[in-house]
Amino acid sequence: MAEIIDGKALAAQVRSGVRERALCFEQNNGRKVGLAVVRVGDDPASDIYVRNKIKACEECDIRSVAVVLNGDATQTDVIAVVEKLNADNDIDGILVQLPLPKHIDERAVLAAISPKKDADGFHAVNAGKLFLGEDGGVVACTPRGIMELIKSTGVDICGKHAVVIGRSNIVGKPIAALLLAADATVTVCHSKTENLAQITRTADILVAAVGKKHLVTADMVKRGAVVIDVGMNRDDSGLHGDVDFDNVKEVASYITPVPGGVGPMTVAMLLMNTVDGACGE
Ligand code: NAP
């Protein structure tokens, strides 16, 4: 039976380190580290995510500024807010909560964020640095958190076969790049992949980032694999991962639960990216 990777406990450790660095920054600079969270419209899920991030900032001595625009704000309005925050010396990180209303081009808004203040790590400059193996870029929060979760198991990534299901810009592609940089042999699967189960059964490390409840079943997992479940699928019975946890835990060596796995680490890494930005790291 698999050992459960406790994302909540690991995130608490990360947050405590972030808090120490944020306090040290404040002592040295006479101001708190600052994160601006921009939200457009009144999507209830976004509201919950933003409130969680603001609460997490408070706990880590990071000053958070929420900028909320009406759902009918134009792309120009949103970019003007971002540019103002870029120029604000008290703000070290900027996060634009996605999704934005349909009439706004998300890419244009993300491109307007200064790459140094890009707390989410979605800017093309930061994504490019990751893919080129250049230091100094901001790594997207969820993939950065996943790497910490894998490292916490003590399993050596080098030379292992890592299979990532999902090729999104925010999870699938960057986690594949990070695993490759850590010397794993990486296979990326997606909705057009043929014989998915045949591929996943060869994975020493399996990352599921799909958004389909319990897509990964026990027969798709190699005995002893490390399984990271990124999925967040909400239905009437609660929050579910992409992995059939109850059955897969009988086969895997380590597994993340949902909730309590990748989610808390994503928020912790947002705080880490913000403090890194403030400290110029
Ligand atoms: P996304 O942009 O919708 O991407 C999903 C990916 O899964 C796509 O690449 C898609 O393939 C692939 N896919 C869909 N159906 C598939 C199937 N049957 N077999 C194999 N691949 C399939 O989603 P995302 O933003 O990466 O997020 C993925 C999940 O992670 C969601 O549940 C999201 O809520 C969750 N998430 C969690 C956190 C966290 O902090 N815990 C953070 C981010 C995301 P195509 O490219 O071919 O369409």
Side-chain angles (χ1 to χ4, degrees):
M1 176 137 120
E3 204 172 295
I4 314 296
I5 308 174
D6 188 344
K8 252 175 120 172
L10 193 59
Q13 272 179 36
V14 172
R15 286 208 309 268
S16 136
V18 166
R19 186 166 190 275
E20 267 179 38
R21 287 174 64 209
L23 286 167
C24 183
F25 177 91
E26 189 179 356
Q27 273 174 5
N28 293 336
N29 296 274
R31 70 163 178 90
K32 286 186 194 290
V33 174
L35 174 70
V37 183
V38 180
R39 182 161 71 77
V40 185
D42 51 10
D43 173 44
S46 293
D47 186 39
I48 295 171
Y49 293 142
V50 168
R51 270 190 281 141
N52 283 345
K53 287 167 188 174
I54 287 173
K55 188 164 162 271
C57 281
E58 279 164 13
E59 286 166 8
C60 288
D61 202 53
I62 294 174
R63 186 176 73 96
S64 60
V65 180
V67 184
V68 182
L69 287 89
N70 285 333
D72 59 2
T74 65
Q75 186 168 307
T76 313
D77 295 335
V78 183
I79 290 178
V81 165
V82 167
E83 284 172 349
K84 203 168 160 215
L85 293 167
N86 283 341
D88 185 336
N89 290 332
D90 290 341
I91 293 295
D92 304 287
I94 303 169
L95 176 159
V96 175
Q97 185 64 44
L98 302 179
L100 290 170
K102 290 206 166 26
H103 64 277
I104 298 176
D105 178 0
E106 283 182 359
R107 279 174 306 180
V109 172
L110 295 180
I113 299 173
S114 159
K116 285 196 182 338
K117 293 192 178 186
D118 173 32
D120 256 336
F122 294 162
H123 195 285
V125 165
N126 289 317
K129 283 189 174 176
L130 174 62
F131 279 86
L132 295 176
E134 282 182 23
D135 291 337
V138 183
V139 176
C141 306
T142 302
R144 192 174 180 189
I146 293 171
M147 288 306 284
E148 293 305 318
L149 289 162
I150 297 172
K151 283 180 195 158
S152 77
T153 66
V155 169
D156 188 7
I157 298 171
C158 176
K160 296 289 186 327
H161 185 204
V163 174
V164 177
I165 320 177
R167 56 174 164 179
S168 70
N169 290 335
I170 63 168
V171 190
K173 284 180 197 159
I175 188 59
L178 287 170
L179 286 162
L180 190 60
D183 295 325
T185 302
V186 182
T187 303
V188 181
C189 302
H190 46 79
S191 69
K192 309 288 187 298
T193 297
E194 290 179 4
N195 303 321
L196 180 67
Q198 207 174 309
I199 298 168
T200 58
R201 272 197 291 271
T202 66
D204 302 304
I205 298 167
L206 180 61
V207 179
V210 181
K212 291 211 156 51
K213 180 182 166 183
H214 298 179
L215 175 95
V216 177
T217 47
D219 59 317
M220 294 169 72
V221 178
K222 178 175 168 178
R223 186 158 291 279
V226 175
V227 179
I228 306 291
D229 190 351
V230 188
M232 290 202 310
N233 308 292
R234 228 172 266 280
D235 65 16
D236 292 343
S237 60
L239 187 64
H240 307 275
D242 289 343
V243 176
D244 175 11
F245 180 86
D246 287 342
N247 293 307
V248 171
K249 77 174 188 315
E250 303 299 327
V251 183
S253 59
Y254 294 91
I255 187 168
T256 58
V258 176
V262 175
M265 282 301 279
T266 296
V267 180
M269 290 302 152
L270 169 71
L271 305 173
M272 180 92 106
N273 279 348
T274 305
V275 172
D276 284 353
C279 300
E281 285 166 20

